[in-house]
Each structure stands twice: as structure tokens, then as C-alpha cells.
Amino acid sequence: MTTIAAPVTETANESHKKNRIQVSNTKKPLFFYVNLAKRYIQQHNEVELSALGMAIATVVTIAEILKNNGLATEKKVLTSTVGMKDENKGRLVQKAKIEITLGKSEKFDNMMAPADTTTPESEAATDDKK
């Protein structure tokens, strides 16, 4: 009788799915996912990127873009294989899966703040140069 355990794990996963992005390399362009990940980091302080099979390279690229731009830090990387039913042949196939959790970097808020070039300090600095 494991029916009690199943709803408990589902509830934990439901709260976790708010900041999860399941990446496909056929549906959306790369920078759609990069920008979506930025928004999720802004809202939840972290984002979980996951992908299966050929989309794994896309997830790694998204994570590297965010890390190299100083927006995110790597928290966790999980790899596994999952059994999926092949739609064409109807048999069970093993697919590689990756989950990368990225956290908000210390510089994130400063880098994501809109660039306001008309601050009183910058106006004073330009006045001094005249």
C-alpha cells in the first residue's frame, strides 16, 4: 500500500516544477530558454534546466551562457537514464537525462538592473568635463 507515499512525492515535485524548464532543441530557439531562465532566476532565485537525449547539449549551452555572463552559479548537475516508450516501435527505450540547477549569482541583480544613464552623479561628472 504505497498510495500514501505517491501523493507526498507529487506535492514535493509540484512545488519544485515552478522553476523547472524542460528544454527541447526543436520547439524554441536557444535564447528563448536563456531569457526564460533569467526570469525564473529573478523570481525564484534558482532555476532547474532539464532535457532528454539530443536536447542535453542545448541545456549545457544555456547553463554555460548564464554562468559565463556572471548571472548564475552551478548548484547541482544530475544525469540519469529513463525508460520511455518508443512511439513508432512501441518498445521501451533508454534515454539519457540531465538536470542542471543554477542559482542566482551575487552580481545578478546589478547586471539585470536597467541601465539608467541619467543619474545625478553622471550628470555632475559630465558637467565637470565641460
Side-chain angles (χ1 to χ4, degrees), residues 55-130:
I56 288 174
T58 307
V59 163
V60 172
T61 303
I62 294 163
E64 287 301 313
I65 288 169
L66 293 168
K67 284 171 25 186
N68 291 337
N69 287 332
L71 295 169
T73 56
E74 193 175 285
K75 283 183 149 186
K76 184 170 58 171
V77 178
L78 294 173
T79 58
S80 60
T81 53
V82 291
M84 300 188 76
K85 198 159 194 165
D86 189 343
E87 293 172 12
N88 301 329
K89 299 173 185 153
R91 64 177 187 192
L92 198 67
V93 243
Q94 293 291 317
K95 283 231 176 191
K97 179 180 182 179
I98 192 165
E99 293 177 33
I100 301 176
T101 305
L102 299 173
K104 185 188 271 192
S105 73
E106 293 174 10
K107 304 180 217 167
F108 184 89
D109 291 322
N110 291 338
M111 295 177 85
M112 291 299 288
D116 185 13
T117 55
T118 59
T119 59
E121 295 88 16
S122 65
E123 287 176 8
T126 54
D127 288 340
D128 291 341
K129 291 179 184 174
K130 289 181 183 176

Side-chain angles (χ1 to χ4, degrees), residues 12-28:
N13 286 341
E14 284 172 19
S15 66
H16 201 69
K17 284 185 181 178
K18 289 180 185 172
N19 65 339
R20 176 182 285 173
I21 301 172
Q22 292 179 309
V23 175
S24 163
N25 55 353
T26 57
K27 293 185 178 164
K28 303 274 184 201

